[in-house]
Amino acid sequence: MTAYWTTHPGPLGDLLLTCDATGALTSLTVPGAPGAKGLPAPGAPGAKGLPAPGTVRDDAPFAEARRELDAYFAGERDRFTLRLAPPPVSDFRRRVWAALDEIPYGTTVSYGQLAAAIGVGGPAVRAVGGAIGANPLLIVRPCHRVVGADGSLTGYAGGLERKTWLLGLERTRTAVPAG
């Protein structure tokens, strides 16, 4: 099955988007970031080459994703309505990611609060952190809204400077309609 990719410029730099053959979004990452799908890290052997075998550069399947991202960055959208491919992951990871989707625009929660929201605690908070770190849909699935117990900014696959920027964008905008 063919998969597609494109890049999209924005205020955070280029974003790498991938989708499956049906056009459902499979990832939104920052090229070269840990966990980025498709493109090698900058400076890595083949970094100027094509993405992973079997992927095809095609901008067309990403038209709606581009529109929604641009509207989000312009402060005109507070959530995404894109079709997402169901990932082949554990039920635990699905629960964590579903909880991420419920974090309101412009707010943050701690890892512990997110763990409690899915009914786990104690040592499972680390597993929640691992599931958040494995999120392949940066921005769309708002893992940037999760912070440390003391409110400090902690890891983000796109880098803490991008997390800071995203949280700042959301805090300076009033919630807007999704459409």
Side-chain angles (χ1 to χ4, degrees), residues 62-131:
F62 303 97
E64 183 58 25
R66 289 170 176 271
R67 276 191 291 276
E68 290 195 18
L69 283 166
D70 289 344
Y72 170 82
F73 290 136
E76 299 165 355
R77 173 175 286 279
D78 66 357
R79 61 186 172 277
F80 295 89
T81 61
L82 301 168
R83 194 164 50 90
L84 308 178
V89 297
S90 69
D91 179 61
F92 179 79
R93 215 168 253 186
R94 268 190 211 91
R95 289 173 36 220
V96 171
W97 291 352
L100 286 174
D101 292 337
E102 298 302 316
I103 303 170
Y105 180 91
T107 65
T108 58
V109 300
S110 71
Y111 290 90
Q113 290 170 317
L114 196 67
I118 65 164
V120 300
V125 173
R126 284 185 175 260
V128 167

